[in-house]
Amino acid sequence: MALLILSWQVACLFHEAETEKLLPGSTSATEAESDTLDQIHDELTPDVSWDDFNASYGSFSSAKDRTAACVNVLKKSTAEFQSKVLESMLRVAAASREDDNENNVSPEEMDFIQQVRSALE
């Protein structure tokens, strides 16, 4: 669950300018990011229901609390799984062209991924 939550949180970060079509009802997540999260779910977490994901994601009072809870859980996991989480976050970040960034990863996304990586060390 933490893998999906952190990956989706990357997509939900605010960006100054979006150059891809946004997910309906979203202020920052793109359709490409949503599609990538679906692929990650199917590949790595097929047993997690989207209803459980939505309930867990929405149960936190803030993004900071959500991140802290996920990091605490992930600290108990293997280094290999932690790498899969960071790779999944990067896949979501790279899924769409935001802020006309050549590598498709916005500064906000990269900062967040680095923050999680540092917290797991």
Side-chain angles (χ1 to χ4, degrees):
M1 184 71 72
L3 180 146
L4 292 176
I5 289 173
L6 290 174
S7 296
W8 187 240
Q9 196 155 307
V10 168
C12 294
L13 293 171
F14 175 78
H15 311 289
E16 289 297 319
E18 298 294 347
T19 56
E20 298 265 332
K21 186 173 181 178
L22 292 177
L23 199 60
S26 174
T27 58
S28 64
T30 67
E31 290 182 0
E33 290 166 329
S34 179
D35 291 345
T36 300
L37 187 70
D38 285 339
Q39 292 170 354
I40 290 167
H41 170 269
D42 293 348
E43 293 168 17
L44 301 173
T45 61
D47 295 337
V48 176
S49 80
W50 285 118
D51 288 339
D52 289 345
F53 167 81
N54 289 327
S56 292
Y57 193 90
S59 69
F60 294 95
S61 60
S62 69
K64 183 178 179 181
D65 290 346
R66 188 179 304 121
T67 301
C70 289
V71 166
N72 284 337
V73 167
L74 290 171
K75 282 184 176 182
K76 299 171 189 162
S77 66
T78 65
E80 180 181 353
F81 187 74
Q82 290 175 9
S83 291
K84 286 183 182 190
V85 170
L86 295 169
E87 289 168 14
S88 296
M89 293 171 71
L90 193 55
R91 280 177 63 186
V92 169
S96 63
R97 292 193 61 82
E98 296 168 321
D99 301 330
D100 290 322
N101 191 337
E102 289 181 14
N103 70 2
N104 293 353
V105 179
S106 72
E108 297 91 349
E109 291 167 334
M110 187 54 74
D111 287 347
F112 180 63
I113 293 166
Q114 292 295 342
Q115 172 192 352
V116 170
R117 185 177 77 60
S118 294
L120 291 173
E121 292 178 344

